[in-house]
Every structure is written in structure tokens, then in C-alpha cells.
Amino acid sequence: MVCFRLAPVPGSGLLLLCLVLGAVSSYALELNLTDSENATCLYAKWQMNFTIRYETTDKHNKTVTISDLGPATYSGSSCGDDQNGPKIAVQFGSGFSWIVNFTEEKSFYSIDSISFSYNTNDNTTFPDAKEKGVFIVSDHVAFRVPLNDIFRCNSLLTLGKNDVVQHYWDVHVQAFVQNGTVSTKEFLCDKDKTLTTVLPIVPTTVPSPTTTPSPKEKPEVGSYSVVNSNGTCLLATMGLQLNITHDKVASVININPNTTNFTGSCHPQTALLRLSSSSIKYLDFVFAVKNENRFYLKEVNVSMYLVNGSVFSIANNNLSYWDAPLGSSYMCNKEQTVSVSGAFQINTFDLRVQPFNVMEGKYSTAQECSLDDDTILIPIIVGAGLSGLIIVIVIAYLIGRRKSYAGYQTL
Ligand SMILES: *[C@@H]1O[C@H](CO)[C@@H](O)[C@H](O)[C@H]1NC(C)=O
Ligand SMILES: *[C@@H]1O[C@H](CO)[C@@H](O)[C@H](O)[C@H]1NC(C)=O
Ligand SMILES: *[C@@H]1O[C@H](CO)[C@@H](O)[C@H](O)[C@H]1NC(C)=O
Ligand SMILES: *[C@@H]1O[C@H](CO)[C@@H](O)[C@H](O)[C@H]1NC(C)=O
Ligand SMILES: *[C@@H]1O[C@H](CO)[C@@H](O)[C@H](O)[C@H]1NC(C)=O
Ligand SMILES: *[C@@H]1O[C@H](CO)[C@@H](O)[C@H](O)[C@H]1NC(C)=O
Ligand SMILES: *[C@@H]1O[C@H](CO)[C@@H](O)[C@H](O)[C@H]1NC(C)=O
Ligand SMILES: *[C@@H]1O[C@H](CO)[C@@H](O)[C@H](O)[C@H]1NC(C)=O
Ligand SMILES: *[C@@H]1O[C@H](CO)[C@@H](O)[C@H](O)[C@H]1NC(C)=O
């Protein structure tokens, strides 16, 4: 174990850097950054190698691999302060520099971007490079990790293409370490998740109960609305569950209305409801008018952050759900599925929407989905003045039904 005492970094006090150099055959890098109170603020351990392609003086392309990083220094690494986020800076070999920075947002932190620079003036590594100088490649990675979790990826992660390909494996990193204690709760990259399902770490003949996915609980119902200069113009009340299928694995996500933002717009022929949260960049519901007297859900556009940092986006503008007459609302209490694509479905619960003709911020008469009523579609008339009449009709209907049942029994 080697420790460096670094010059004080403004705003972050005295830094003490300790790095454990692994066995000579392994080039694992390890960094335990501490703040002015000697409390760990950032911990990282990882392995990496690089393949760099460059053009030679005789107009050929050559590739060079940097896998033995040799002794590394970590100057410039910092816990961060009010202005700057934490970062890890590593220098190795002849003029190689590698920097990753982190950002924090609500209950997550992100591995923001990685920048790697190399100097082709180094004649040992790049003997015949046509262009001499410092080259920098930057990749925005945006891995999102829950705060207080350590990110782990034993699998190989590949970044970049063309001139510089970067490989990372055996990655363990936690930024914004709380109370100086590195978490034991691991947040796995997608590739490690599939690894554990394919190859269970503890081989056992008895199937583990955790391998059977527990039925996901019902999502909480959220109330969403859009307001324009004339007041509320769109109303939606619903519980939403997203079902994303990736590599034949379905992930089911319940939308938490408490942490979901909403906005939208209303026009004579279309209306938009847009939901967003820390994991959903946007989820758009676009409603349209058809035949001048009905509305329906025409389009869903979604863009979400996946756990491995990539973005999942799907749009379908040829849908036909939630169809009801203009001037009424559409209602469906039972679970219904909006199939946006083979890979993306939305399960709705206790749904009620009215994208047009909202009066005084309240829902109009509801048209119920066929799922709620197994005979025919009956509009439920919501109106205090008519409720007496409805009760009479309902009683008459029930008596009528009893009679017909009784009739069948006597046969
Ligand atoms: C931090 O640790 C160093 C050596 O391990 C010690 O000299 C120093 O007093 C400690 N500082 C604090 C604030 O505990
Ligand atoms: C870089 O590391 C990966 C993962 O261990 C390995 O598969 C690859 O062969 C390495 N590349 C070189 C050139 O050493
Ligand atoms: C070398 O790589 C560049 C892209 O970086 C490509 O445009 C060029 O055709 C390559 N040259 C040869 C000789 O393969
Ligand atoms: C992280 O680094 C990238 C490129 O090196 C830079 O563009 C970005 O602004 C940095 N982010 C923060 C939060 O410092
Ligand atoms: C950090 O310490 C505070 C106060 O001791 C405690 O309330 C909090 O839960 C701790 N956080 C973690 C992540 O351990
Ligand atoms: C999620 O989608 C997959 C594939 O379409 C399906 O098999 C699965 O039953 C769905 N799960 C839920 C909870 O809707
Ligand atoms: C949302 O907030 C309500 C009231 O504050 C709370 O009862 C409920 O448990 C919260 N739901 C979730 C999913 O966090
Ligand atoms: C939905 O996505 C499509 C394709 O990406 C785009 O053309 C369309 O404008 C989007 N619609 C909305 C309402 O954002
Ligand atoms: C993230 O996972 C998806 C699906 O597994 C894959 O298509 C994508 O390439 C991955 N992105 C990264 C940066 O590894």
C-alpha cells in the first residue's frame, strides 16, 4: 500500500491519497480518496486497457495496445467542492492521462464522462505517427447509480470505437460516499445482472425462491393535468406500470407519482401529456380527435435511462386506445395494456382521462372500457341532478336481471 500526501486542493482541504498496487501481473487500479476529515469520499478499483489507432508517416493505419499501465499517479483526483464534482484523474506511461468525473442529482449519482488523452510525440509507443501531438477523446457515459450504492461491473465494458477503444472490467466505484463508509450494497451493470442469472454464484440443486419473479405490486395512482390560458384543459388519473423487454428479459417499473413531473399542451385537434422523472427522460401521451366527434390515444413516445447508462427510446404514432366521445372522459378501472411496441408496454390501472373539452377543471361523463363492464358499454352519467333517475334505472335493471335469473332456474 502506497500513500501520497497531496498539496492542499482549494476548497477540499488536505487530501491523502492511498493506492494499493495489486500484484505485478494484474494492473488493477485502486483509489481511496479522503476528505479533510480523513473520511473516504470516493472509492474506486478497476482494470482497463486501450487500443489506439493512428496514421503512420507512410499513410498506413497502425494500432497500439496499452494494457500494462505501469505505475500510475492520481494527481488532480478530488472529492469535489461546491463548484466541481468529484473526479478521478490518473496519469500513466509516457503522457497518458485518464479522467472520469461524477455528478449528483437527487437520489442518484452519475459516472458522467470519461476523457482519455495520449501524446503521439512519444516515439516509443507511436514511433512513426504522422501527426504528433496530444489527442483527447471524451465519452459521455452517464451511468446512473443510486446514492449510497457501489457500482460494480465485473463484465467487460467497451467504450468508443474508431481511433480509441477502451475496455473496462472488474470495476467497483462509489462516489459521494456517505459518512466515510464505502457501501456494501452493489448496483450491478446490466451485463453482470445477466451473468448472475445465467451462472448462479452459489451452485445449488434446490431452486432458490428468489429466482421466481414476484408478482409486481399495483402502481400508485397519480393525478395529472395540463393547464393553458383557459384553465385546466387535460385531466388524467392513472396508475402506470412500464414493461420494457430487453434481450428477452422484461423489466417492470411502477411509476411513482410522488416523484414524477408532468406538463403538456392542448390544441383543438391534439393534446399532449408529458411525464418525466429521474429515470424517465420523457413519456409522452399524445391524444387526437377522429371523425370530429371522438378522441383517442394516438401516440406514445418514450425515452428512458437504462441502468447501464444507455437510453431506451420508442415512439409509436399509430395507436388506437382509450377511444371515447368528445365531451366525455374515458375510464377503465381494470388493468389494461397499451402495447407501444414488442419491447415496450404500459399497463394502466384505475385509469380516467379527458384530453379535450374539460369544463371547470372537472371530468365529464365517463365512457367505460369494455373490460369494466362485460355486457355493453354503458356511459356512467355523472350529474347530481340525474342521480335520482339513475338509481331508479339501476334498481329497475337489477330487478329485471333477478327476474330473468329466476326464470332460468324454473326451467
Ligand atoms: C488524518 O490522518 C493523518 C495520518 O493518517 C493524521 O496525521 C491526521 O491528523 C488526520 N487528520 C484528521 C483531521 O483526523
Ligand atoms: C483488454 O482487456 C480485455 C479484457 O480483459 C481483453 O479481452 C483484451 O484482450 C485486452 N486487450 C489487450 C490488447 O490486451
Ligand atoms: C485509416 O483510418 C481512417 C479513419 O481513421 C480511414 O479514413 C482511412 O481510410 C484508414 N486508412 C487505411 C490505409 O486503412
Ligand atoms: C466532466 O468532464 C467532461 C469532459 O471531460 C466535461 O465536459 C464536463 O463538463 C465535466 N462535468 C463536470 C460536472 O465537471
Ligand atoms: C450518516 O450518518 C448520519 C448521522 O449519523 C445518519 O443519520 C445517516 O443515516 C448516515 N448515512 C448513511 C448512509 O449511513
Ligand atoms: C411484460 O412483457 C412481456 C413481454 O411482452 C410479457 O411476457 C410479460 O407478461 C409482461 N409483464 C407484465 C407484468 O406486464
Ligand atoms: C407518495 O406520497 C404519499 C403521501 O406523502 C405516501 O403516502 C405514499 O406512500 C408515497 N408513495 C410512494 C410510492 O412513495
Ligand atoms: C415522437 O417521436 C417522433 C420520432 O422520434 C417524433 O417525430 C415526434 O415529434 C415525437 N412526438 C412528440 C409529441 O414528441
Ligand atoms: C446497455 O444495454 C443495452 C441492452 O442490453 C445495450 O443495447 C446497450 O448497448 C448497452 N449500452 C452500453 C453503454 O453498454
Side-chain angles (χ1 to χ4, degrees), residues 282 299-303 313-319 340-341 344:
Y282 57 83
E299 176 174 347
V300 168
N301 259 13
V302 69
S303 189
S313 300
I314 287 271
N316 186 340
N317 66 1
N318 200 14
L319 302 175
V340 180
S341 79
F344 184 71

Side-chain angles (χ1 to χ4, degrees), residues 361-390:
K362 292 197 198 93
Y363 283 112
S364 309
T365 308
Q367 158 112 32
E368 273 208 82
C369 60
S370 47
L371 288 171
D372 280 356
D373 170 40
D374 9 41
T375 50
I376 45 154
L377 295 177
I378 1 170
I380 297 172
I381 299 147
V382 184
L386 289 173
S387 56
L389 182 58
I390 294 167

Side-chain angles (χ1 to χ4, degrees), residues 308-387:
N308 72 355
S310 61
V311 175
F312 170 87
S313 300
I314 287 271
N316 186 340
N317 66 1
N318 200 14
L319 302 175
S320 186
Y321 290 98
W322 307 350
D323 185 314
L326 279 178
S328 69
S329 58
Y330 175 88
M331 185 163 152
C332 199
N333 289 321
K334 293 194 182 164
E335 178 176 354
Q336 234 190 354
T337 299
V338 172
S339 186
V340 180
S341 79
F344 184 71
Q345 296 171 3
I346 304 171
N347 300 326
T348 62
F349 300 80
D350 300 318
L351 170 79
R352 189 160 183 191
V353 286
Q354 184 167 350
F356 299 98
N357 306 70
V358 174
M359 303 298 221
E360 294 168 348
K362 292 197 198 93
Y363 283 112
S364 309
T365 308
Q367 158 112 32
E368 273 208 82
C369 60
S370 47
L371 288 171
D372 280 356
D373 170 40
D374 9 41
T375 50
I376 45 154
L377 295 177
I378 1 170
I380 297 172
I381 299 147
V382 184
L386 289 173
S387 56

